RNA sequence: GUUCCGGUAGCUCAGUAGGAUAGAGCAACAGCCUCCUAAGCUGUAGGUCGUGGGUUCGAUUCCCUCCCGGAACGCCA
């Protein structure tokens, strides 16, 4: 059909010619032409069974790929300011970044997961002042949270801890340094704990402050000036980002002498480059999309290529409760947190939910529905498939069957639903490659559902623990292969594969 | 006004190197447990793939118009 245009011929006619010119192949039993021009190959079914032995010998390495070619990739995600708890948007980013990292690792990339800690900017000052206000309030002093301050309950907790550790000392002297330091430390610990409970662990927490302390921001500024990428205008220093595709030049040093956030960001990405990464992936919220051209331009200026930085944009999650939208705002402290979600429906259900949706889906999360339906959540469908397989093996042990996995020809598995399952198993390596290459991690989740569905169908139609030993071992071999792949795929999206449910 | 996303079943979403009858979960309806876990299975119903054009043998998919929703357009981060 693809050739129809160039050959100016009817697809059916071309198909006939192709079929006529095919050579004999022992695997192919029959070839048919179908309207409007498809060629269907009917393959000797014994071929499909070889995947079982493959999986049983490779175990969880089945599907490991080489398309990464050991390229070193840095994936930066979450990077939430340590000024409060992680909210739903961060949760989506955390699930996405972690899943992407796991899939890319499986496909042969060397992946570093990184969290950029904004511990150097103005928000941190506001954090310190917010703690100070809460601290004073604990002594009955009427102190107001600053305008851009933070109202979350975790700020109160820090203030309380400060009171317990230092008494009223900071009523007499300035406590901002302590509040800042302790605030960042404690909030960051909280973020790590929540992420850990969500199955997300980072390789590197990179401090913005350290960039200043190591002089990397200044060095980057000097470098950009020396390379002629800057100019002065109305008292400010501009970066010629238009030279690399941005729509206008951007200020890096304000007329009051302060740096804009762009400068440390460029310094940070320069630092990543200096650590030898071939590819930098940033997962950012949808509200940052306008920032991409200038960041890319900056990276070009410090030695990166056009495709060195890949920015994957995460669309916002709209959270509904009582039919109304809840606005995400860390300042107000009203946001639904990752911790709230985990407590309500469990980490597995939340991870499955986020892993199911493509990054650029604008998601609606109805909390009432999510909690109410937690027992009907699709994650249990997949987990149940794994638990069911395990229960068959438990039963086999109870019956004291000696289980020997089959390594040669399968002659007792000729069932339509078995072929469906074999077909799905065979797809796994290609799926990993595709998901890793396109970063479409949600395809893995769809695959999991598909595999689980085929397993459930077969389970209902086909007894595994039959009397005849050979047949039984063939069936158990198939089950074990499904179990291995299912567990591995669940691992990729950060979901547990339970033995019992 | 410009840029980036999205608009597919009642709801939440899959489905792009253009292909056969557009799928899943939830919700609805009808069945299935003396048998390895019914958190399951089988079946039914539900669609002008936002609109209007174009390219093509063929368009949910590619191009253009318009409509609706979200986001961004700062010497804020």
């Amino acid at each position: 059909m693809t050739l129809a245009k160039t050959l100016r011929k009817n697809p059916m006619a071309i198909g006939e010619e192709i079929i006529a010119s095919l050579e004999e192949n022992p695997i192919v039993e029959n070839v048919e032409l179908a309207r409007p021009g498809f060629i269907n190959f009917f393959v000797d079914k014994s071929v499909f069974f070889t995947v079982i032995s493959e999986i049983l010998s490779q175990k969880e390495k089945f599907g490991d790929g080489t398309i990464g070619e050991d390229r070193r990739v840095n994936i930066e995600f979450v990077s939430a300011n340590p000024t409060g708890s992680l909210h739903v948007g961060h949760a989506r980013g955390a699930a996405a970044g972690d899943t992407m990292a796991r899939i890319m690792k499986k496909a042969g990339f060397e992946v570093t997961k990184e969290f950029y800690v904004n511990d150097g900017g103005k928000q941190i000052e506001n954090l310190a002042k917010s703690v100070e206000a809460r601290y004073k309030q604990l002594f009955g002093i009427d102190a107001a949270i600053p305008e851009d301050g933070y109202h979350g309950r975790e700020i109160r907790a820090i203030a309380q801890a400060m009171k317990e550790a230092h008494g009223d000392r900071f009523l007499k002297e300035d406590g901002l340094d302590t509040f800042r330091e302790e605030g960042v430390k404690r909030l960051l610990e909280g973020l790590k704990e929540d992420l850990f409970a969500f199955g997300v662990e980072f390789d590197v927490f990179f401090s913005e402050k350290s960039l200043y302390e190591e002089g990397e921001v200044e060095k980057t500024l000097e470098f950009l000036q020396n390379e002629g990428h800057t100019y002065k205008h109305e008292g400010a220093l501009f970066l010629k980002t238009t030279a690399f595709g941005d729509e206008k030049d951007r200020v890096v040093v304000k007329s009051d002498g302060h740096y804009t956030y762009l400068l440390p960001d460029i310094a940070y990405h320069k630092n990543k480059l200096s650590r030898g990464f071939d590819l930098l992936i940033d997962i950012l919220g949808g509200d940052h999309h306008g920032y991409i051209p200038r960041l890319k331009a900056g990276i070009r200026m410090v030695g990166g290529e056009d495709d060195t930085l890949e920015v994957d944009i995460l669309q916002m999650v709209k959270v509904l409760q009582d039919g109304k939208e809840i606005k995400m705002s860390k300042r107000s402290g009203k946001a639904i947190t990752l911790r709230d979600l985990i407590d309500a429906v469990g980490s597995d259900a939340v991870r499955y939910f986020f892993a199911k949706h493509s990054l650029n889906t604008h998601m609606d999360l109805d909390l009432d529905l999510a909690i109410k339906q937690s027992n009907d959540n699709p994650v249990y469908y997949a987990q149940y498939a794994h638990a069911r397989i395990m229960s068959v093996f438990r039963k086999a042990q109870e019956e004291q069957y000696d289980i020997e996995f089959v390594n040669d020809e399968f002659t007792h598995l000729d069932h339509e639903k078995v072929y469906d399952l074999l077909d799905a198993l065979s797809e796994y390596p290609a799926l990993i490659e595709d998901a890793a290459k396109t970063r479409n991690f949600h395809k893995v989740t769809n695959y999991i559902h598909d595999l689980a569905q085929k397993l459930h169908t077969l389970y209902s139609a086909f007894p595994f623990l039959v009397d005849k030993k050979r047949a039984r071992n063939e069936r158990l071999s198939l089950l074990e292969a499904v179990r291995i792949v299912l567990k591995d795929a669940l691992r990729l999206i950060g979901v547990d594969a339970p033995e019992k449910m």
Side-chain angles (χ1 to χ4, degrees), chain A residues 223-348:
Chain A
F223 178 84
L224 291 170
Q225 285 178 303
N226 290 339
E227 294 289 313
H229 292 305
T230 62
Y231 62 90
K232 280 252 178 192
H233 180 65
E234 293 178 350
L237 191 71
F238 280 74
L239 195 62
K240 296 177 189 169
T241 53
T242 49
F244 293 95
D246 197 8
E247 59 182 11
K248 57 182 170 187
D249 291 336
R250 308 290 172 174
V251 171
V252 283
V253 184
K254 297 186 257 182
S255 47
D256 66 2
H258 286 99
Y259 300 153
T260 63
Y261 52 95
L262 180 59
L263 186 58
D265 275 358
I266 293 173
Y268 174 41
H269 285 82
K270 186 168 186 276
N271 178 286
K272 286 187 195 171
L273 289 176
S274 74
R275 281 183 274 151
F277 292 107
D278 304 304
L279 174 64
L280 308 178
I281 297 179
D282 287 5
I283 299 180
L284 300 179
D287 52 343
H288 286 83
H289 92 264
Y291 187 55
I292 300 171
R294 73 192 82 163
L295 188 57
K296 281 196 152 219
I299 287 167
R300 293 288 295 278
M301 291 175 190
V302 296
E305 302 296 323
D306 189 38
D307 56 357
T308 300
L309 175 70
E310 168 184 316
V311 180
D312 293 325
I313 287 295
L314 183 80
Q315 294 304 327
M316 302 265 172
V317 185
K318 190 197 278 184
V319 181
L320 304 165
Q321 193 167 36
D322 300 326
K324 283 184 297 187
E325 180 177 357
I326 301 175
K327 289 286 183 189
M328 292 295 117
S329 160
K330 212 190 292 189
R331 291 203 175 94
S332 71
K334 279 178 193 161
I336 301 296
T337 66
L338 169 58
R339 180 58 72 174
D340 295 337
L341 279 182
I342 293 176
D343 290 346
V345 292
S347 174
D348 283 342

Side-chain angles (χ1 to χ4, degrees), chain A residues 75 77-78 86-103 113 194-195 198-202 283 314 317 338 341 347-357 359 363 439 441-442 445 491-495:
Chain A
I75 305 184
F77 58 107
V78 186
L86 296 173
H87 58 60
V88 175
H90 296 127
R92 185 177 190 183
D98 186 60
T99 299
M100 211 183 268
R102 292 178 192 226
I103 293 170
K113 292 181 281 184
D194 289 354
L195 287 166
F198 200 43
V200 179
E201 290 181 80
F202 283 87
I283 299 180
L314 183 80
V317 185
L338 169 58
L341 279 182
S347 174
D348 283 342
V350 180
R351 293 235 19 186
Y352 193 90
F353 177 77
F354 286 124
K356 215 166 97 64
H357 298 98
L359 272 185
M363 281 196 289
R439 327 282 191 243
F441 52 81
H442 68 281
T445 317
R491 176 186 65 79
L492 292 177
I493 63 167
V495 172

